[in-house]
Amino acid sequence: MTKRKQDILREATRLFAESGFEGVSVAQIAKAAEVSQGAVFRHFPTKETLLRRIFQEVRESFLEEIERDFAFSAKESGREMVLRLALFLCRFYEKREVEFEFIHRNNPYRMPEVGEPCREEIGRIQEKMSELLHIGLSLGVRDGSIREMDVERGAILILGGIGGTVRQRLFMDFHLQDLEADLIAFMDHALRP
């Protein structure tokens, strides 16, 4: 990807996170990226195409990072694996704070004209997180480090706890890292037998 295209994506993401998709014009994106409107349209034929590409970039970076940086270890209990995964997810959110503010402000479920492709991108992230949590929770229930539970519901609650905390960033002045230790301790307490 060219530097110009990266600049356009970065600035569009930032502006959409601050003002929402509908609140940002292509002219504003071009000015922030220090390119012409024509350059924006050369890389992204429509503003909707740009929006879809941002969702795709977030999904690709998540899947690349989780494949590269996270693996279950036979030396850990299931609970330790789940907590390490939760910490990994928190840190991914922290590194991508602007992108996740963008996602929460530009909810693809409220945008019918571009929603379906964007929902699919977010769905792929959700599926991967759920898959890994199911594995860790199942192992933990089996090895006795996690209380008996429906692992499907457990995965939903863990993802909800992390995602809900991230969403609060839109309304309160804090960063996830400010609450990370408390969130992990809360999850640890909830999982123990």
Side-chain angles (χ1 to χ4, degrees):
M1 181 182 313
T2 67
K3 180 185 178 323
R4 181 175 285 181
K5 191 171 185 177
Q6 288 174 337
D7 291 345
I8 293 167
L9 282 169
R10 184 188 65 250
E11 293 304 321
T13 302
R14 182 183 62 77
L15 290 168
F16 291 159
E18 291 171 1
S19 302
F21 178 74
E22 297 297 330
V24 176
S25 68
V26 172
Q28 290 170 299
I29 295 167
K31 182 177 180 185
E34 298 178 352
V35 299
S36 68
Q37 288 185 57
V40 173
F41 286 120
R42 269 192 299 283
H43 291 288
F44 305 98
T46 66
K47 195 168 100 171
E48 290 78 10
T49 305
L50 176 56
L51 181 74
R52 283 192 295 269
R53 182 65 185 146
I54 294 169
F55 274 96
Q56 184 181 11
E57 286 283 321
V58 171
R59 189 241 331 139
E60 288 173 357
S61 67
F62 172 77
L63 293 177
E64 286 171 12
E65 283 191 40
I66 204 145
E67 290 297 322
R68 183 186 66 232
D69 299 336
F70 185 83
F72 288 121
S73 169
K75 297 175 184 176
E76 296 176 302
S77 70
R79 190 178 85 256
E80 290 168 327
M81 290 179 195
V82 168
L83 294 174
R84 195 165 52 81
L85 177 59
L87 185 60
F88 175 88
L89 296 174
C90 286
R91 299 230 166 118
F92 181 80
Y93 277 112
E94 289 164 13
K95 284 189 289 188
R96 303 272 190 279
E97 200 169 61
V98 171
E99 287 94 331
F100 283 98
E101 284 186 24
F102 156 80
I103 288 170
H104 295 301
R105 256 194 233 290
N106 298 282
N107 184 336
Y109 292 91
R110 293 188 317 229
M111 301 166 63
E113 67 281 358
V114 294
E116 189 56 36
C118 296
R119 282 191 294 276
E120 288 174 9
E121 297 296 344
I122 298 306
R124 290 180 184 141
I125 292 173
Q126 200 73 19
E127 287 168 12
K128 187 63 173 181
M129 291 188 300
S130 289
E131 172 192 326
L132 294 173
L133 283 169
H134 280 115
I135 293 167
L137 290 168
S138 297
L139 289 170
V141 168
R142 204 170 318 127
D143 71 22
S145 64
I146 295 177
R147 65 182 175 79
E148 282 295 321
M149 69 165 49
D150 177 322
V151 296
E152 177 77 27
R153 289 176 180 229
I156 291 169
L157 292 170
I158 290 169
L159 290 175
I162 296 169
T165 304
V166 168
R167 280 188 197 92
Q168 290 303 307
R169 167 93 172 87
L170 296 174
F171 309 107
M172 301 173 170
D173 188 25
F174 73 88
H175 298 276
L176 183 56
Q177 66 191 22
D178 299 335
L179 297 175
E180 179 183 273
D182 292 327
L183 181 60
I184 298 301
F186 184 83
M187 289 178 186
D188 185 31
H189 182 74
L191 293 171
R192 287 184 180 271

